[in-house]
Amino acid sequence: MRFAVAHKTATYLMVGFAYLAMTTGGGVSPGIALGGLVLLLASWWWEPPRINYDKWSWVWTAASVFALAYCVLTAIVTGDFLGVGAQFLTWLIVAKGFNRKAARDWQQMYLLAFLMLVAGSVLNPELTYGLCFLGFVVSSTWAMTLFHLRREMEDNLLVKHAADRASERVEVRRILDSRRIVGGRFFFGTGLLSFGVFLAAAALFLALPRVGIGFFLKSRSGLTLAGFSDGVKLGGHGVIKNDSTVVMRVQIDPKFGGRSAPQIHWRGVAFDRYSKGNWTRSQRAPETKQRLEQGQVRDRRSLNYDRPAISIPEIDTLATTLVRQDIWLDPLDSDVLFGASLPRIVEYPHVVRRRGTTNERNDEIRLPHGSTIHYSVWSELVPPPPEQLRAASGPLPRGYEVYLQLDEPGKPPEITARTRAKALEITRGLTNNYDKAVAIQTWLTTNLTYTLVLEDPGIQEPVDYFLFDRKKGHCEYFASGFAILARAAGIPVRQVNGFLGGEWNEYQGYVAVRAGDAHSWDEVYFPGVGWVTFDPTPSATVDVLGRGGDGWRARLSRMMDTLRFQWTKWVIEYDLASQLELFKTVGGAIKSAALTVKAAVVSAKDAVLAYWPIGAGLGVGLIGFLVLRRRRSGPGMETGRARRTRVRSTVAEVFDQVAAALAKAGVARDAALTPRELATRMAQRGDPGAPQVGELVELYYVAEWGGRRDPAAEVRAQILAAEIRQALDAARRARRTSGATA
Amino acid sequence: MGIWARLRRRLRPPRRLSFTREGRLIVVLSVGVGFAAINTGNNLLYLLLGWLLSFIIASGILSELTLKRLTVQRRPPPRVFAGDPFLMEVVIQNGKENRASFSIEVEDLVGTTPIDKRCYFLKIPAAKSQRTSYRHTFARRGHYTLTGYRLATKFPFALFRKSRDVDAPLEIIVYPSRVAVPRPIPRTTSRGESTADRLGRRGEFHGLRERRAGDDRRDIHWRSSARTGRLLVREYEDELARRVVIGVDNALPEDVRDAVTDGALTPAAETQVSAVERAISVAASLAASYLEIGWTVELCARGLHVAPGVGRIHEAKIARALALLPYVSDEVAFAALPPKIESVLITPRSVAASGRPAATTVMDV
């Protein structure tokens, strides 16, 4: 490849990767991103002799001024300085691509590429950033190396000297067009180097101490997805879309994982107040009772629910009996933390100061986070046995009466009479809350059907419309229907939003929860026992984690998600706790290796002591070998490398063939005779081919000892060898002829 | 090499590093990104910081590999004259069998200071050598020592310039500058090519040599010339008839010599030094001129005597002696110029000195 083309290609690759790293995260609007990419590609051909840069410079200057003014105004108006900054970077790189006049412009392209990478670190936390980063590392190594060579040859020192005339600069264009400077080996070698750079960058990334407290500062707005929301509003119409974006990944005890494991309710927000089809969190709802332990690295919260607080040792003991989940949660509109129902302990990275105020009620756990967060939850997955629930009795704890609310106090009743009557009808004859709740759940699942297609209830009360007219709905309708019917039957209940199930990823052993897995269900309170999950929505066709199928597309999709998960786990959410854990693992491995070595040394020592004469002999032999080897390779001695067989030149090989032919013809060379002396002797005796031998010997000396390879001499040597053979053959024939005559 | 010199050599760092503008920029960027990473806790900024740092480390390793197993030979021309530009050939050999070296700079060192010229090699293929040269001029005659050379590279990313000094002393004798000077008219022998009254021409037969301009036609050895096809002449040991003694006065007053030593020349002192240098240059040029036409030349100066001789080797001997001729006091005796022999005394015009010998010709330059 021509040097100039190689440099340009590497530079465009580097800029391209940085550009994609910045734009693929969605921080730049797709139109601008695509337009910028097209213009950047077009700038490849925008160069002399096709284009005169000076002629167009005023256009670019004017356009740049306009772009700057536009971006400043836009940033002030929208307040999105980062996004607008990325747009301005897009403009700058395009403008620079169209104005590659001198080395300075190339340098500015590199700087802009780096700034785009920095911007991308905020705008694009996805796996695409990592892939682009890898491409950037490789291409930047090529580009920077080639740029350095180019600038050296353009700026400095390529001067041709001659003794008889003034020194003159070598024409740079000729070198830029040369194909001999960089080739496949160069790209392969620097590619390997860049791979090493990447590995070193990764190692440094893992080793650099995470001492920052900026967890709070990396703020991005949460994803607005179809699915989970921090609130319930019944009465909408249309079709609910099933969003397949993964929002949460959970590593869970293998007993509860696997493709045949049952689905898990990932509890998020809970509501106590129902009014006009809306579920909300009332100010009267009980605050989440919890105990907070703050550590240097991680904070831990234990939820008490309706029970009294327990001591730290009891929490530690409790943790051993619960099911642990490690959760990586992407930012959503809500700051709630999810956990398998019912979560008891939550542990997350240490928070020095909490951003904003949280309103934790109804046993929700909230932690503001602007990016993906990694935390652990310990949950009670197995509900209490029905007998225990049937036997549960007692007064409601203080404040729990909100979970029996139906109508707004002081306002006309919202819940229709036929709804209340239906509740009584369903629970008639049942004596305990558990049986009543089960009956309501059974009635809902058997008499109503699931649909994602919603109809507008108009002015009709939404639950009433769902229960008696529409008789179809999605999970929020079922959960609301259950809650209203249960409350009408006197059962304390609250509605919960979260996710249900997920897809088991067999490659990495985790559950991928998608936005489309958002779900609503209910929690029923049993005095003395606690909250128990009831899901009145009819089961879907798949009620295990083995969703997605086993086809190659599903497998590929899961494999890609594995990569994303690893990216999130080891890059995006790599924190001090992960670092300490990693160091601990590495330290343990080193310690283990050291112990192994120590054990080996000790056993070797024991063996030496047991067989000391043999050991001493081997030791002396080894030392002797080392000393001998060192002396051999010492100064003044030939090294192993230098002793290698020297490659003979082509002329020397021809000479060897001729010498063999001469020896066969009776003109052998003694060991003490130099080739030149042999030639002289042959000339003196008038041997056949003597002049050619003389010339060949001189060529031999030049080629073999002169240090230069001369193709003309090689050709000449071949000709001389042929002539010598002819002369020897002629002499042989002459001798035969004379012998025959005699 | 003295103990101190050896100690200094041992203590000298094996490599020198100096940051380039790009290197400083990378360091600033690293600090900025590091600060941003710590402040925001954004792991991607940590990743960028890791890349920047490993980029710098890789640059250091690669530049080290680039400088490894490179050897340099400097080949000055056989003769270097003061004031005349010359080409110093620089040959660099890459001893690495599988790896090319890129972007190498070679500088000759005087002490630890590089001379003003630098050679650049874009690429030295594996196990190959490359050559280039640089043009340099020594203003004054004398003995110069290039103590070694400096190998430097900014490869691969021009973040910093790494260099390695190699001790490889190279002695260079700079001969006096050459000037065009006519030979004085001989005063002791006949003139031109006339051979009728030339005396003392026959001494012991010495041998045959090729004829040069000015040789006596009678000395041509016709038989050998016919056999070889070239004109050969006989040489005799007695060449008095074509022998000249060149004297040059290298005396300078003490204050001027001190000023030269201290490097604090006044304009007046500079004038005198230039005059002596001019005289030495004339002497060297004249000697070369005589030797060119086959004369026997002897050189005398204060504290210096070069025995008579002929040929190019003798010319080099005289040039070398004049190159190293020191300034002395006029108390240093001048070797007596032999009588009956053509002699030329060259005296610096603006320098007064006593003890100058008599000569058949005196050139005041």
PDB file of all heavy atoms in Angstrom, chain B residues 26 41 55 59 72 75 89 96 144 182 196 206 208 235 242 254 257 286 350-351 360:
ATOM      1  N   ILE B  26      -0.265  14.929  25.480  1.00  0.00           N
ATOM      2  CA  ILE B  26      -0.797  13.649  25.972  1.00  0.00           C
ATOM      3  C   ILE B  26      -0.772  13.611  27.494  1.00  0.00           C
ATOM      4  O   ILE B  26      -1.711  13.129  28.137  1.00  0.00           O
ATOM      5  CB  ILE B  26       0.039  12.475  25.384  1.00  0.00           C
ATOM      6  CG1 ILE B  26      -0.298  12.283  23.912  1.00  0.00           C
ATOM      7  CG2 ILE B  26      -0.185  11.205  26.166  1.00  0.00           C
ATOM      8  CD1 ILE B  26      -1.493  11.412  23.652  1.00  0.00           C
ATOM      9  N   GLY B  41     -16.397   9.367  38.416  1.00  0.00           N
ATOM     10  CA  GLY B  41     -16.534   7.925  38.597  1.00  0.00           C
ATOM     11  C   GLY B  41     -16.958   7.214  37.331  1.00  0.00           C
ATOM     12  O   GLY B  41     -17.358   6.051  37.370  1.00  0.00           O
ATOM     13  N   PHE B  55      -0.538   3.842  26.189  1.00  0.00           N
ATOM     14  CA  PHE B  55       0.000   4.420  24.950  1.00  0.00           C
ATOM     15  C   PHE B  55       1.400   4.988  25.209  1.00  0.00           C
ATOM     16  O   PHE B  55       2.335   4.778  24.428  1.00  0.00           O
ATOM     17  CB  PHE B  55      -0.952   5.538  24.513  1.00  0.00           C
ATOM     18  CG  PHE B  55      -0.862   5.905  23.067  1.00  0.00           C
ATOM     19  CD1 PHE B  55      -1.155   4.989  22.081  1.00  0.00           C
ATOM     20  CD2 PHE B  55      -0.514   7.183  22.694  1.00  0.00           C
ATOM     21  CE1 PHE B  55      -1.087   5.334  20.755  1.00  0.00           C
ATOM     22  CE2 PHE B  55      -0.446   7.539  21.366  1.00  0.00           C
ATOM     23  CZ  PHE B  55      -0.742   6.609  20.392  1.00  0.00           C
ATOM     24  N   SER B  59       4.877   3.465  23.835  1.00  0.00           N
ATOM     25  CA  SER B  59       5.790   4.337  23.107  1.00  0.00           C
ATOM     26  C   SER B  59       7.213   4.159  23.632  1.00  0.00           C
ATOM     27  O   SER B  59       8.170   4.066  22.867  1.00  0.00           O
ATOM     28  CB  SER B  59       5.318   5.787  23.270  1.00  0.00           C
ATOM     29  OG  SER B  59       6.193   6.649  22.653  1.00  0.00           O
ATOM     30  N   VAL B  72      26.668   2.307  14.464  1.00  0.00           N
ATOM     31  CA  VAL B  72      26.924   3.384  13.502  1.00  0.00           C
ATOM     32  C   VAL B  72      28.405   3.451  13.197  1.00  0.00           C
ATOM     33  O   VAL B  72      29.241   3.289  14.093  1.00  0.00           O
ATOM     34  CB  VAL B  72      26.434   4.733  14.085  1.00  0.00           C
ATOM     35  CG1 VAL B  72      26.902   5.884  13.227  1.00  0.00           C
ATOM     36  CG2 VAL B  72      24.920   4.748  14.202  1.00  0.00           C
ATOM     37  N   ARG B  75      32.413   7.741   8.587  1.00  0.00           N
ATOM     38  CA  ARG B  75      33.563   7.660   7.682  1.00  0.00           C
ATOM     39  C   ARG B  75      33.866   9.043   7.131  1.00  0.00           C
ATOM     40  O   ARG B  75      33.226   9.472   6.163  1.00  0.00           O
ATOM     41  CB  ARG B  75      33.271   6.704   6.544  1.00  0.00           C
ATOM     42  CG  ARG B  75      33.063   5.268   7.012  1.00  0.00           C
ATOM     43  CD  ARG B  75      32.625   4.403   5.874  1.00  0.00           C
ATOM     44  NE  ARG B  75      32.356   3.044   6.313  1.00  0.00           N
ATOM     45  CZ  ARG B  75      31.671   2.151   5.608  1.00  0.00           C
ATOM     46  NH1 ARG B  75      31.180   2.488   4.425  1.00  0.00           N
ATOM     47  NH2 ARG B  75      31.468   0.943   6.078  1.00  0.00           N
ATOM     48  N   GLU B  89      30.392  10.514   5.940  1.00  0.00           N
ATOM     49  CA  GLU B  89      29.481   9.411   5.633  1.00  0.00           C
ATOM     50  C   GLU B  89      29.087   8.710   6.938  1.00  0.00           C
ATOM     51  O   GLU B  89      29.941   8.448   7.788  1.00  0.00           O
ATOM     52  CB  GLU B  89      30.151   8.418   4.696  1.00  0.00           C
ATOM     53  CG  GLU B  89      29.183   7.379   4.159  1.00  0.00           C
ATOM     54  CD  GLU B  89      29.854   6.416   3.200  1.00  0.00           C
ATOM     55  OE1 GLU B  89      30.823   5.749   3.600  1.00  0.00           O
ATOM     56  OE2 GLU B  89      29.415   6.324   2.062  1.00  0.00           O
ATOM     57  N   LYS B  96      19.149  -6.202  14.250  1.00  0.00           N
ATOM     58  CA  LYS B  96      17.973  -7.030  14.557  1.00  0.00           C
ATOM     59  C   LYS B  96      17.620  -7.857  13.320  1.00  0.00           C
ATOM     60  O   LYS B  96      17.535  -7.303  12.227  1.00  0.00           O
ATOM     61  CB  LYS B  96      16.793  -6.133  14.958  1.00  0.00           C
ATOM     62  CG  LYS B  96      17.058  -5.332  16.220  1.00  0.00           C
ATOM     63  CD  LYS B  96      15.857  -4.552  16.660  1.00  0.00           C
ATOM     64  CE  LYS B  96      15.619  -3.324  15.831  1.00  0.00           C
ATOM     65  NZ  LYS B  96      16.597  -2.262  16.024  1.00  0.00           N
ATOM     66  N   TYR B 144      40.686  17.393  15.946  1.00  0.00           N
ATOM     67  CA  TYR B 144      39.346  17.354  16.525  1.00  0.00           C
ATOM     68  C   TYR B 144      39.031  15.908  16.928  1.00  0.00           C
ATOM     69  O   TYR B 144      39.432  14.967  16.233  1.00  0.00           O
ATOM     70  CB  TYR B 144      38.290  17.810  15.515  1.00  0.00           C
ATOM     71  CG  TYR B 144      38.380  19.282  15.179  1.00  0.00           C
ATOM     72  CD1 TYR B 144      39.277  19.742  14.223  1.00  0.00           C
ATOM     73  CD2 TYR B 144      37.572  20.210  15.824  1.00  0.00           C
ATOM     74  CE1 TYR B 144      39.375  21.087  13.919  1.00  0.00           C
ATOM     75  CE2 TYR B 144      37.652  21.565  15.509  1.00  0.00           C
ATOM     76  CZ  TYR B 144      38.552  21.998  14.564  1.00  0.00           C
ATOM     77  OH  TYR B 144      38.631  23.322  14.268  1.00  0.00           O
ATOM     78  N   PRO B 182      51.205  30.883  -6.148  1.00  0.00           N
ATOM     79  CA  PRO B 182      52.189  30.528  -7.186  1.00  0.00           C
ATOM     80  C   PRO B 182      53.530  30.152  -6.552  1.00  0.00           C
ATOM     81  O   PRO B 182      53.909  30.691  -5.511  1.00  0.00           O
ATOM     82  CB  PRO B 182      52.305  31.821  -7.997  1.00  0.00           C
ATOM     83  CG  PRO B 182      51.896  32.912  -7.066  1.00  0.00           C
ATOM     84  CD  PRO B 182      50.942  32.328  -6.100  1.00  0.00           C
ATOM     85  N   ALA B 196      70.419  21.799 -19.682  1.00  0.00           N
ATOM     86  CA  ALA B 196      71.841  21.893 -20.017  1.00  0.00           C
ATOM     87  C   ALA B 196      72.715  22.151 -18.802  1.00  0.00           C
ATOM     88  O   ALA B 196      73.749  21.524 -18.635  1.00  0.00           O
ATOM     89  CB  ALA B 196      72.038  22.995 -21.053  1.00  0.00           C
ATOM     90  N   HIS B 206      67.529   4.845  -7.877  1.00  0.00           N
ATOM     91  CA  HIS B 206      66.569   4.463  -6.827  1.00  0.00           C
ATOM     92  C   HIS B 206      65.476   3.516  -7.335  1.00  0.00           C
ATOM     93  O   HIS B 206      65.118   2.538  -6.691  1.00  0.00           O
ATOM     94  CB  HIS B 206      65.926   5.739  -6.275  1.00  0.00           C
ATOM     95  CG  HIS B 206      64.929   5.456  -5.194  1.00  0.00           C
ATOM     96  ND1 HIS B 206      65.301   5.078  -3.927  1.00  0.00           N
ATOM     97  CD2 HIS B 206      63.575   5.484  -5.193  1.00  0.00           C
ATOM     98  CE1 HIS B 206      64.237   4.896  -3.199  1.00  0.00           C
ATOM     99  NE2 HIS B 206      63.163   5.131  -3.960  1.00  0.00           N
ATOM    100  N   LEU B 208      62.170   3.027 -10.705  1.00  0.00           N
ATOM    101  CA  LEU B 208      61.383   3.594 -11.795  1.00  0.00           C
ATOM    102  C   LEU B 208      60.051   4.090 -11.255  1.00  0.00           C
ATOM    103  O   LEU B 208      59.511   3.532 -10.319  1.00  0.00           O
ATOM    104  CB  LEU B 208      61.118   2.536 -12.872  1.00  0.00           C
ATOM    105  CG  LEU B 208      62.319   2.024 -13.647  1.00  0.00           C
ATOM    106  CD1 LEU B 208      61.874   0.926 -14.604  1.00  0.00           C
ATOM    107  CD2 LEU B 208      62.996   3.140 -14.428  1.00  0.00           C
ATOM    108  N   GLU B 235      64.473   7.206 -11.045  1.00  0.00           N
ATOM    109  CA  GLU B 235      64.546   8.073  -9.864  1.00  0.00           C
ATOM    110  C   GLU B 235      65.920   7.886  -9.236  1.00  0.00           C
ATOM    111  O   GLU B 235      66.403   6.760  -9.138  1.00  0.00           O
ATOM    112  CB  GLU B 235      63.466   7.688  -8.848  1.00  0.00           C
ATOM    113  CG  GLU B 235      62.189   8.451  -9.007  1.00  0.00           C
ATOM    114  CD  GLU B 235      61.286   8.312  -7.793  1.00  0.00           C
ATOM    115  OE1 GLU B 235      61.213   7.187  -7.247  1.00  0.00           O
ATOM    116  OE2 GLU B 235      60.683   9.298  -7.398  1.00  0.00           O
ATOM    117  N   ARG B 242      66.147  19.619  -7.252  1.00  0.00           N
ATOM    118  CA  ARG B 242      64.715  19.971  -7.206  1.00  0.00           C
ATOM    119  C   ARG B 242      64.212  19.794  -5.777  1.00  0.00           C
ATOM    120  O   ARG B 242      63.296  19.062  -5.504  1.00  0.00           O
ATOM    121  CB  ARG B 242      63.943  19.106  -8.182  1.00  0.00           C
ATOM    122  CG  ARG B 242      64.417  19.361  -9.610  1.00  0.00           C
ATOM    123  CD  ARG B 242      63.474  18.834 -10.613  1.00  0.00           C
ATOM    124  NE  ARG B 242      63.291  17.408 -10.455  1.00  0.00           N
ATOM    125  CZ  ARG B 242      62.138  16.803 -10.702  1.00  0.00           C
ATOM    126  NH1 ARG B 242      61.109  17.501 -11.071  1.00  0.00           N
ATOM    127  NH2 ARG B 242      62.032  15.505 -10.559  1.00  0.00           N
ATOM    128  N   GLU B 254      52.974  36.670  23.407  1.00  0.00           N
ATOM    129  CA  GLU B 254      52.398  35.890  24.516  1.00  0.00           C
ATOM    130  C   GLU B 254      50.945  36.273  24.804  1.00  0.00           C
ATOM    131  O   GLU B 254      50.098  35.405  25.046  1.00  0.00           O
ATOM    132  CB  GLU B 254      53.246  36.110  25.769  1.00  0.00           C
ATOM    133  CG  GLU B 254      52.824  35.208  26.903  1.00  0.00           C
ATOM    134  CD  GLU B 254      53.702  35.394  28.140  1.00  0.00           C
ATOM    135  OE1 GLU B 254      54.640  36.197  28.077  1.00  0.00           O
ATOM    136  OE2 GLU B 254      53.425  34.732  29.143  1.00  0.00           O
ATOM    137  N   ARG B 257      48.705  34.665  22.369  1.00  0.00           N
ATOM    138  CA  ARG B 257      48.567  33.225  22.622  1.00  0.00           C
ATOM    139  C   ARG B 257      47.636  32.975  23.814  1.00  0.00           C
ATOM    140  O   ARG B 257      46.799  32.074  23.801  1.00  0.00           O
ATOM    141  CB  ARG B 257      49.952  32.609  22.902  1.00  0.00           C
ATOM    142  CG  ARG B 257      50.736  32.350  21.614  1.00  0.00           C
ATOM    143  CD  ARG B 257      52.031  31.627  21.888  1.00  0.00           C
ATOM    144  NE  ARG B 257      53.067  32.550  22.319  1.00  0.00           N
ATOM    145  CZ  ARG B 257      53.729  32.461  23.470  1.00  0.00           C
ATOM    146  NH1 ARG B 257      53.478  31.486  24.297  1.00  0.00           N
ATOM    147  NH2 ARG B 257      54.655  33.347  23.786  1.00  0.00           N
ATOM    148  N   LEU B 286      51.792  25.565  -0.694  1.00  0.00           N
ATOM    149  CA  LEU B 286      53.040  25.609  -1.456  1.00  0.00           C
ATOM    150  C   LEU B 286      53.722  24.240  -1.449  1.00  0.00           C
ATOM    151  O   LEU B 286      54.216  23.768  -2.482  1.00  0.00           O
ATOM    152  CB  LEU B 286      53.950  26.672  -0.825  1.00  0.00           C
ATOM    153  CG  LEU B 286      55.000  27.308  -1.718  1.00  0.00           C
ATOM    154  CD1 LEU B 286      54.376  27.912  -2.971  1.00  0.00           C
ATOM    155  CD2 LEU B 286      55.776  28.382  -0.952  1.00  0.00           C
ATOM    156  N   SER B 350      51.502  40.801   9.739  1.00  0.00           N
ATOM    157  CA  SER B 350      51.259  41.732  10.844  1.00  0.00           C
ATOM    158  C   SER B 350      51.867  41.264  12.167  1.00  0.00           C
ATOM    159  O   SER B 350      51.544  41.792  13.208  1.00  0.00           O
ATOM    160  CB  SER B 350      49.745  41.932  11.003  1.00  0.00           C
ATOM    161  OG  SER B 350      49.150  40.668  11.167  1.00  0.00           O
ATOM    162  N   VAL B 351      52.690  40.235  12.093  1.00  0.00           N
ATOM    163  CA  VAL B 351      53.277  39.726  13.338  1.00  0.00           C
ATOM    164  C   VAL B 351      54.779  39.975  13.291  1.00  0.00           C
ATOM    165  O   VAL B 351      55.463  39.505  12.377  1.00  0.00           O
ATOM    166  CB  VAL B 351      53.023  38.219  13.496  1.00  0.00           C
ATOM    167  CG1 VAL B 351      53.614  37.700  14.807  1.00  0.00           C
ATOM    168  CG2 VAL B 351      51.527  37.940  13.450  1.00  0.00           C
ATOM    169  N   THR B 360      66.091  31.963   0.578  1.00  0.00           N
ATOM    170  CA  THR B 360      66.263  32.483  -0.785  1.00  0.00           C
ATOM    171  C   THR B 360      65.046  33.301  -1.199  1.00  0.00           C
ATOM    172  O   THR B 360      65.151  34.246  -1.952  1.00  0.00           O
ATOM    173  CB  THR B 360      66.461  31.328  -1.780  1.00  0.00           C
ATOM    174  OG1 THR B 360      65.374  30.407  -1.603  1.00  0.00           O
ATOM    175  CG2 THR B 360      67.772  30.614  -1.534  1.00  0.00           C
TER     176      THR B 360
END
